[in-house]
Amino acid sequence: MEKLKERLDMFSDAVIAIIITIMVLELPMPQHDSVSEYLQFGKAIGIFFISFCYVANIWYQHSILYSDAETINNKVFISEFIFLAFLSLIPTFTKLITVDTNRHTVLSYGILTFIVNGLFMLTSYAVVHQKYSDKSDTQKIFQKIYLNHSNFLGMINVIVLILAYFKPNWAVWCYLALPVISFVFNRDDQV
Amino acid sequence: MEKLKERLDMFSDAVIAIIITIMVLELPMPQHDSVSEYLQFGKAIGIFFISFCYVANIWYQHSILYSDAETINNKVFISEFIFLAFLSLIPTFTKLITVDTNRHTVLSYGILTFIVNGLFMLTSYAVVHQKYSDKSDTQKIFQKIYLNHSNFLGMINVIVLILAYFKPNWAVWCYLALPVISFVFNRDDQV
Amino acid sequence: MEKLKERLDMFSDAVIAIIITIMVLELPMPQHDSVSEYLQFGKAIGIFFISFCYVANIWYQHSILYSDAETINNKVFISEFIFLAFLSLIPTFTKLITVDTNRHTVLSYGILTFIVNGLFMLTSYAVVHQKYSDKSDTQKIFQKIYLNHSNFLGMINVIVLILAYFKPNWAVWCYLALPVISFVFNRDDQV
Amino acid sequence: MEKLKERLDMFSDAVIAIIITIMVLELPMPQHDSVSEYLQFGKAIGIFFISFCYVANIWYQHSILYSDAETINNKVFISEFIFLAFLSLIPTFTKLITVDTNRHTVLSYGILTFIVNGLFMLTSYAVVHQKYSDKSDTQKIFQKIYLNHSNFLGMINVIVLILAYFKPNWAVWCYLALPVISFVFNRDDQV
């Protein structure tokens, strides 16, 4: 199954590369040569960068995760694909916020990233678990690598979700900040 | 021709990765901030997941099939490309159901998946046949690996097609269930 | 430069994989649930298959060509990219015929495939030439491999172009037949 | 981290391959069978070629740069992704010029290519720096490889930006010429 693992690696990378790039196709063009249209366009580009950062960060964590794994079992395979299915929705939900930044769209976007993060954690668990299944310290390793930050980031996610309900425009800025923060935290881990 | 085989592998994987991801571009956006629009959008996402599962399952079977093969001959090459041509239509037919879930669109979708399954079986036959062409038990091996389930799943497919004619909305649910069932059956095979 | 060659191989394959798949995004959807709309849709799918065959055939010849090459020089690099630039236009010109099959659109499509074939021949020449530059029989080898059929297929191409002017609907059928014929001829070469 | 470097290589290549190809999806179709519409379409194709050349040239420099590198550190990783994020905007800004070639759109396009060039230079610096960090002549090497031309091309870029303000239609032609000139200069370097 070694070979299937490599194929899945490349397949996932290709899917993530497509997700990160097709978001740009969803950018609404300025219709007239007016200042307000260009401001709107600039805001859309800003939101595009949020999702770009988010997916780039996911790709990085995903690569680190699978560089450890040697084989994949069916559980990993299934959770990987459910994770990819939800990740594929990021471009659509990005467009949702771009077109109309209101309470419902920002909340939807927040819930989607919440689900994607959760599914990624499940996949991580499946990958780590299959490798250290015979050792009693699986739980401990996983806790150390993922849960410390996950707890912290998970809590932040919930707070931003609540913020999205009352102040959707502020929440959008938090969604820009979160992957950046997450990346810095992860960097500490690798060093 | 070893090298051409690897290139075809990667090419097919790239094409399937693109097919599975561009489906998301076809999702119709909610135009107004109303409940009925969001429900419509939620239904479209559900249909997107159906096709995502279907293509993910095809990719899995496809990887298993080619991990066996060492070379490809012209027959494999041609049937592979006809198979990919029809598979490429999945995003378009998914959009068809999304926009208007009626008898004709669900039937069209059903017939397309029927054709894709058939073409995949032909490709499988070509791949298995070229490897075991000197052995008299090709037929038997192929029968064992593919036809047992194929007969069963083929029959289900026909039943769902008939269902699609009378109850298109029910048939859509069956199309969600089929790749999941197929995946579970295949898992038994691999273990 | 060995490594650059591999990267160019993969890059070209990725670009061709995207070209062959995004064509499906250009398919016009049936707007109403009427027979004439579905017929129109069926015709669009037929034209999609023409371009799919054409690009699949180009990919095959392209793979065969580069499986021979060990390195690439600047001339190969430049002609490869000019070739890819024109090949990228195939989806757009396919849509042109799909939307309105008239004299001008079919002629445009014909001229585009004519240019792409020509550019592919130039790239082939550059690849073969860099390998056998010290031998006096480069010309002969190239003649043997490519020009025999090229002359023949080039002539057919010109005839179909003329046909496209007078009978665009007939010419479309010829464009379906040409890659199939080309593929069969190439098969003889490989055996 | 060797493996992560390979994955990043392939991921970047995939993203660039998608960027260079999806531009074609943004081409506006001629709506009627009239000469003026076809002229408009021809102009759009010309602008498509400008961006195609630009991205192809970036890909080439990018490949040369990373063929040197053996590992990547976090600084390289972050600047690579910021570079890719801005490069992803090329298709959108290409469409901007295509739809309406005026002072603001051509200036926007010019500023974008200016930013992308600058970010590429920063990435180059990060890659070169991590390799030769212990040598005092990093600065010298980098100067020799990149800054000589960069200074020159940077100056040209500024001049074209000023031109874009007064004569947007002329500036468009310069943007076609720049990647070609850049490619020729780079060729000298490699020989």
Side-chain angles (χ1 to χ4, degrees), chain C residues 1 3-4 7-8 10-11 14-15 18-19 22-23 25-26 74-75 77-78 81-82 84-86 88-93 95-96 99-100 102-105 108, chain D residues 5 8-10 12-14 16-18 20-22 24-25 27 29-30 33 38 41 45 48-49 52 55-56 59-60 62-64 66-67 69 183 187 190-191:
Chain C
M1 293 277 249
K3 216 180 161 190
L4 188 64
R7 278 191 97 148
L8 183 64
M10 290 186 65
F11 189 79
V15 168
I18 299 162
I19 291 171
I22 57 174
M23 280 188 296
L25 287 177
E26 311 275 21
N74 270 301
K75 212 174 158 186
F77 182 84
I78 294 173
F81 267 90
I82 298 174
L84 286 178
F86 278 88
S88 299
L89 291 173
I90 293 282
T92 311
F93 280 72
K95 196 183 179 184
L96 261 192
V99 171
D100 187 4
N102 63 37
R103 179 180 297 174
H104 300 123
T105 53
S108 307
Chain D
K5 194 254 165 187
L8 183 65
D9 268 16
M10 290 186 66
S12 301
D13 272 20
I16 299 177
I18 299 162
I20 213 170
T21 324
I22 57 174
V24 98
L25 286 177
L27 282 177
M29 289 283 138
D33 194 17
Y38 282 106
F41 183 55
I45 289 172
F48 163 73
F49 281 143
F52 196 96
V55 179
W59 179 81
Y60 180 73
H62 189 266
S63 299
I64 295 288
Y66 278 88
S67 69
F183 190 81
R187 187 161 62 170
Q190 303 306 324
V191 173

Side-chain angles (χ1 to χ4, degrees), chain B residues 3 16 41 76 100 104 121 125 134 137 143 156 165:
Chain B
K3 216 179 162 189
I16 298 176
F41 183 56
V76 172
D100 187 4
H104 300 124
M121 212 176 295
Y125 187 81
D134 45 344
D137 44 5
Q143 193 101 20
I156 291 185
Y165 186 79

Side-chain angles (χ1 to χ4, degrees), chain A residues 5 8-10 12-14 16-18 20-22 24-25 27 29-30 33 38 41 45 48-49 52 55-56 59-60 62-64 66-67 69 183 187 190-191, chain D residues 1 3-4 7-8 10-11 14-15 18-19 22-23 25-26 74-75 77-78 81-82 84-86 88-93 95-96 99-100 102-105 108:
Chain A
K5 195 256 166 186
L8 183 64
D9 268 16
M10 289 186 67
S12 301
D13 272 21
I16 299 177
I18 299 162
I20 214 171
T21 324
I22 57 174
V24 98
L25 287 177
L27 283 177
M29 289 284 138
D33 194 16
Y38 281 107
F41 183 56
I45 289 173
F48 163 74
F49 282 142
F52 196 96
V55 179
W59 179 80
Y60 180 71
H62 189 264
S63 298
I64 296 287
Y66 277 89
S67 68
F183 191 82
R187 185 160 65 168
Q190 303 308 324
V191 174
Chain D
M1 293 277 247
K3 217 179 160 190
L4 188 64
R7 278 191 97 149
L8 183 65
M10 290 186 66
F11 188 79
V15 169
I18 299 162
I19 291 171
I22 57 174
M23 280 189 295
L25 286 177
E26 311 275 20
N74 270 301
K75 211 174 160 187
F77 181 84
I78 294 173
F81 266 91
I82 298 175
L84 286 178
F86 278 87
S88 300
L89 291 173
I90 293 282
T92 310
F93 280 73
K95 195 183 179 186
L96 261 192
V99 171
D100 187 3
N102 63 36
R103 180 179 296 175
H104 300 123
T105 53
S108 308

Side-chain angles (χ1 to χ4, degrees), chain D residues 46-57:
Chain D
I47 292 171
F48 163 73
F49 281 143
I50 294 176
S51 291
F52 196 96
C53 284
Y54 180 75
V55 179
N57 191 41

